[in-house]
Amino acid sequence: MSFEGLRVTALAGGVGAARMLRGLAAVTAEDNITAIVNTGDDTVLHGLYVCPDLDTITYTLGGSSNPATGWGIQGETWAVMEALGQFERLGLPGAGNLTWFGLGDRDLATHLFRTGRLAAGVPLSQVASEVATRFGVTARLLPMSDEPVRTMVELAGGTPVPSFGGLGRPCAPGTSGGATANEPAQGPTEVGFQEYFVGLRHSVDVTGLRFAGAERARPAPGVIEAIEQADVVVVCPSNPLVSIGPVLAVPGIAQAVAARRGSVVAVSPIVAGKALKGPADRMLSELGSEPSVVGVARLWSDIASTLVIDEADAALGPQVERAGMAFAVTKTVMSGPEDSARLAEVVLATASGAPGPGWR
Amino acid sequence: MSFEGLRVTALAGGVGAARMLRGLAAVTAEDNITAIVNTGDDTVLHGLYVCPDLDTITYTLGGSSNPATGWGIQGETWAVMEALGQFERLGLPGAGNLTWFGLGDRDLATHLFRTGRLAAGVPLSQVASEVATRFGVTARLLPMSDEPVRTMVELAGGTPVPSFGGLGRPCAPGTSGGATANEPAQGPTEVGFQEYFVGLRHSVDVTGLRFAGAERARPAPGVIEAIEQADVVVVCPSNPLVSIGPVLAVPGIAQAVAARRGSVVAVSPIVAGKALKGPADRMLSELGSEPSVVGVARLWSDIASTLVIDEADAALGPQVERAGMAFAVTKTVMSGPEDSARLAEVVLATASGAPGPGWR
């Protein structure tokens, strides 16, 4: 079955989405793919505007990603971070941990470029496209919005939070910093997503989530059209709450996806009750969802008609149906490019209504 | 003659001042030295707040400077700039030249640290002190002000100005950038100091200077006291117009120095009608001063009682006196640490009223 002419639009988070997109690019024409990427994870570090999900997808599709980690650049060096560590070792009062978020030298060039372009007034969506071009990516990578949306994580009371250095809005001396780019925490136990995910290694209990700024954000130019005009919409196997959640929180996007529900196929990020990467399983439990394909189906049944689940969860298929979604079963774990391509074929075949290799 | 107990305060620009300060630190107690450093050269590049003069002095006093250039860090690597060059080579419309201002990997760590600290609301004067500590500097390095002052250079009409990328105020997407950190140019031929100095290699004609923001700036905490309480105030051999000029443009500083005029010794940055480094000679001519020790004396006679001039200019001593300054003659060219120390001895001996080796 050929998917060459298919226009595919994907809702995407980080590493899982990057691997799914790499598979889609392998089995269809990469330049027919549009990814609508979560920017709720974005942060300002040492004055630099960092977009972890956009960069992970860019580096992966461009063949530059570090296969060992899934994020960052292959063959990366760390001269800047090592020199920053010299400041950290001084233990300057109030400076905090300065190297908690690793920024490799080549990765830093991306952040310097992006921050300089944003400072010149170029919208994030254009900068994302320029960065994609630099890495040889021909898929269209769109941030969910050109406006800032910040995923804020409420931690269980009493969670000790170390001092993370370098955060805050970049600013000139004599102007007030801190406030707008990194939304100020509401209450003592709320932190930005990267502080939770990287700084605390997501090993703390979460009691709530908030997408600060989402209500004022508009979909980036092209986002709604890409959903409306796609032959297939794919919800990538990303954390439903903190990767896909922010995308759907931008007014207009969830409605546009729901309007295409019959052409929307989602891939479960949960396999046998566990997240393949990251805290999705624990976070689902902590925030009142079932950490299973059934819980995922309940969250996504309004926007997607079909859920692709792993063979390990085949027995839960009927429950997925009762949650309102058709299901397809295949191997969803992507250990390498071949796995990604095969999963992409199943997803596209499922969406096209043709019985793919794993269709049941 | 011992200068160990002497409290020395210096007005300082970049490389020439750094070498003078290294000499002063060699012949007196480094922690009795306060340098009041020009920040009119500061710029925001790729979102990072860069302080060229503070850093040059810090790296030099800390023994980390690159002796070949006078600026930057010894043994520096350039991984980030090389990766940024990959963006530049794409020739993206509007992105401009991205590597016109070289930022080495270790130097970048300083800028990341500083920008993050400023974003956290720490004043520049405290950050300068923290950076000095990191590099083992025990002299007190004070920016002239914690508020932004930008040296803007008016170029002769018709000067072609290429597109310098990365400039402008760092900002979050969706907020307006550009305006406050890098003062907008007034008219088509005005550029920031670094665009003139580094970008255009100061090889264009200058028709005017402006210290944007100076009228609103306040001396950084400790600046006025350091001038008032010093035993000797040294005006370093820095460009009178664009290095010492901005310092004196901060309201209160010139008056405080003038009040100590009898204890103020200046070192001419002009030797035999030429600047040892940079465009001071041409700039003096272009802006109506004589490019000689006499022209320097006319600019500084209100704030300093004595001008130290090079042996090559000994014959101009009487004219320096007619311009209102005493003079001392010595070798002022600093080719290495020994030259710096010897010059420092002459400067301090001159200030102390004792006949130093070059006193006439």
Side-chain angles (χ1 to χ4, degrees), chain B residues 108-132:
Chain B
L108 272 165
T110 301
H111 309 318
L112 292 179
F113 173 76
R114 175 166 43 227
T115 308
R117 292 294 274 159
L118 291 172
V122 179
L124 182 61
S125 50
Q126 183 181 328
V127 182
S129 159
E130 294 172 346
V131 174

Side-chain angles (χ1 to χ4, degrees), chain A residues 307-323:
Chain A
L307 186 64
V308 177
I309 63 176
D310 193 78
E311 291 163 352
D313 293 312
L316 294 173
Q319 289 188 57
V320 168
E321 285 183 331
R322 281 199 291 279

Side-chain angles (χ1 to χ4, degrees), chain B:
Chain B
M1 181 162 191
S2 171
F3 305 113
E4 275 298 309
L6 220 56
R7 287 165 302 176
V8 179
T9 293
L11 309 190
V15 173
R19 291 178 174 166
M20 179 83 256
L21 286 161
R22 181 177 52 185
L24 291 165
V27 302
T28 182
E30 185 183 330
D31 52 8
N32 274 342
I33 298 174
T34 299
I36 300 169
V37 183
N38 172 38
T39 56
D41 290 13
D42 292 3
T43 191
V44 177
L45 267 170
H46 317 293
L48 298 173
Y49 192 79
V50 179
C51 298
D53 284 354
L54 274 167
D55 289 348
T56 293
I57 291 170
T58 302
Y59 299 159
T60 301
L61 283 180
S64 295
S65 63
N66 179 345
T69 56
W71 54 267
I73 293 180
Q74 199 162 19
E76 184 61 287
T77 57
W78 300 89
V80 178
M81 276 290 118
E82 282 165 23
L84 195 59
Q86 299 281 344
F87 285 94
E88 184 171 303
R89 278 190 276 286
L90 294 176
L92 295 165
N97 181 330
L98 292 166
T99 57
W100 63 275
F101 193 105
L103 297 165
D105 297 332
R106 283 156 190 79
D107 188 39
L108 272 165
T110 301
H111 309 318
L112 292 179
F113 173 76
R114 175 166 43 227
T115 308
R117 292 294 274 159
L118 291 172
V122 179
L124 182 61
S125 50
Q126 183 181 328
V127 182
S129 159
E130 294 172 346
V131 174
T133 300
R134 147 74 183 93
F135 284 92
V137 175
T138 61
R140 187 162 58 141
L141 306 186
L142 292 176
M144 63 195 200
S145 178
D146 279 337
E147 282 112 20
V149 176
R150 291 293 162 270
T151 300
M152 304 299 293
V153 181
E154 186 189 282
L155 307 179
T159 304
V161 178
S163 172
F164 298 115
L167 288 167
R169 179 176 180 168
C171 60
T175 64
S176 63
T180 57
N182 282 28
E183 192 77 13
Q186 304 282 314
T189 58
E190 191 181 56
V191 296
F193 181 78
Q194 296 304 338
E195 293 96 287
Y196 161 74
F197 189 74
V198 175
L200 296 164
R201 297 176 190 178
H202 51 77
S203 62
V204 293
D205 292 343
V206 172
T207 52
L209 290 174
R210 185 168 69 92
F211 306 123
E215 67 288 355
R216 296 183 303 275
R218 290 163 298 170
V223 163
I224 299 298
E225 295 78 0
I227 296 165
E228 289 173 346
Q229 294 162 12
D231 297 308
V232 179
V233 176
V234 177
V235 181
C236 291
S238 299
N239 187 316
L241 302 175
V242 293
S243 294
I244 303 301
V247 178
L248 298 174
V250 175
I253 296 184
Q255 293 84 334
V257 179
R260 300 298 316 282
R261 186 177 180 281
S263 303
V264 181
V265 177
V267 181
S268 175
I270 300 285
V271 173
K274 294 287 173 199
L276 292 171
K277 188 175 178 302
D281 47 0
R282 283 204 342 272
M283 200 180 261
L284 284 167
S285 290
E286 289 162 355
L287 298 177
S289 288
E290 193 178 304
S292 72
V293 294
V294 182
V296 172
R298 289 187 187 124
L299 288 170
W300 284 348
S301 62
D302 285 349
I303 57 160
S305 53
T306 307
L307 186 65
V308 176
I309 63 176
D310 193 77
E311 291 162 351
D313 294 312
L316 294 172
Q319 290 188 57
V320 168
E321 285 182 331
R322 280 198 291 279
M325 295 182 82
F327 70 100
V329 178
T330 190
K331 181 171 176 295
T332 63
V333 181
M334 294 175 279
S335 302
E338 299 75 19
D339 289 345
S340 295
R342 210 198 35 75
L343 177 59
E345 282 186 343
V346 175
V347 167
L348 295 181
T350 300
S352 308
W359 178 261
R360 300 199 181 178

